[in-house]
Amino acid sequence: MKDSEVKMLDENDHIFIKALSDLGMSRNAATTMAYLMTVDEASSQKIEISTGLRQPEVSLAVRLMHNQSWISVRSEKKPGKGRPMKIYSLAAPVDEIISYYENKIYKESQATISAIKKLKVMSKQVSFTPSK
């Protein structure tokens, strides 16, 4: 049997995950990202074991992050028969990922402020008479 060290997420990682979730990243993607920040690369199975996520949750997180070009994927042939194993690693700096959410929230805030300003202008144009 092969010995391998499994890194587990600590309290600071969970605080980081919560902060990313608060910004709008899915909890699964935030958890996967927090784990990948602590290792050079990992298989889906290692991510599952270390984070407590189930296989479908890891798959969804990896797909989301891959679509954003935040992680890289390579295949590694296992000894014997069977499918090659996919190995994941962060491809984008964490600051870049955080900036993505910062910009997204900024744009959403600007849209909300713009809508409020329009409503204020429109409310001044409409004469409101309270009913008795």
Side-chain angles (χ1 to χ4, degrees), residues 36-55:
L36 288 175
M37 286 171 48
T38 66
V39 297
D40 290 334
E41 57 183 18
S43 66
S44 180
Q45 185 179 28
K46 276 194 176 179
I47 296 170
E48 292 169 38
I49 292 167
S50 298
T51 62
L53 295 174
R54 296 175 297 122
Q55 186 276 325

Side-chain angles (χ1 to χ4, degrees), residues 5 7 32-43 46-47 70-74 76 86-92:
E5 185 179 312
K7 296 186 184 241
T32 301
M33 182 175 138
Y35 177 70
L36 288 175
M37 286 171 48
T38 66
V39 297
D40 290 334
E41 57 183 18
S43 66
K46 276 194 176 179
I47 296 170
W70 294 338
I71 61 169
S72 59
V73 183
R74 69 175 179 82
E76 186 175 283
K86 290 186 178 178
I87 307 294
Y88 305 100
S89 60
L90 279 180

Side-chain angles (χ1 to χ4, degrees), residues 48-125:
E48 292 169 38
I49 292 167
S50 298
T51 62
L53 295 174
R54 296 175 297 122
Q55 186 276 325
E57 294 171 324
V58 172
S59 292
L60 287 172
V62 164
R63 185 177 312 128
L64 179 144
M65 295 173 73
H66 189 261
N67 289 344
Q68 293 289 341
S69 301
W70 294 338
I71 61 169
S72 59
V73 183
R74 69 175 179 82
S75 292
E76 186 175 283
K77 182 91 169 103
K78 291 193 257 181
K81 296 182 180 180
R83 297 168 110 182
M85 186 171 34
K86 290 186 178 178
I87 307 294
Y88 305 100
S89 60
L90 279 180
V94 175
D95 289 346
E96 183 180 308
I97 297 169
I98 293 169
S99 290
Y100 168 83
Y101 285 98
E102 179 182 23
N103 292 335
K104 182 178 175 188
I105 290 169
Y106 179 78
K107 287 177 185 173
E108 290 169 356
S109 297
Q110 291 299 347
T112 302
I113 290 168
S114 176
I116 290 169
K117 286 179 181 177
K118 282 181 188 176
L119 287 170
K120 284 181 176 181
V121 168
M122 291 174 68
S123 70
K124 290 181 180 11
Q125 293 172 352

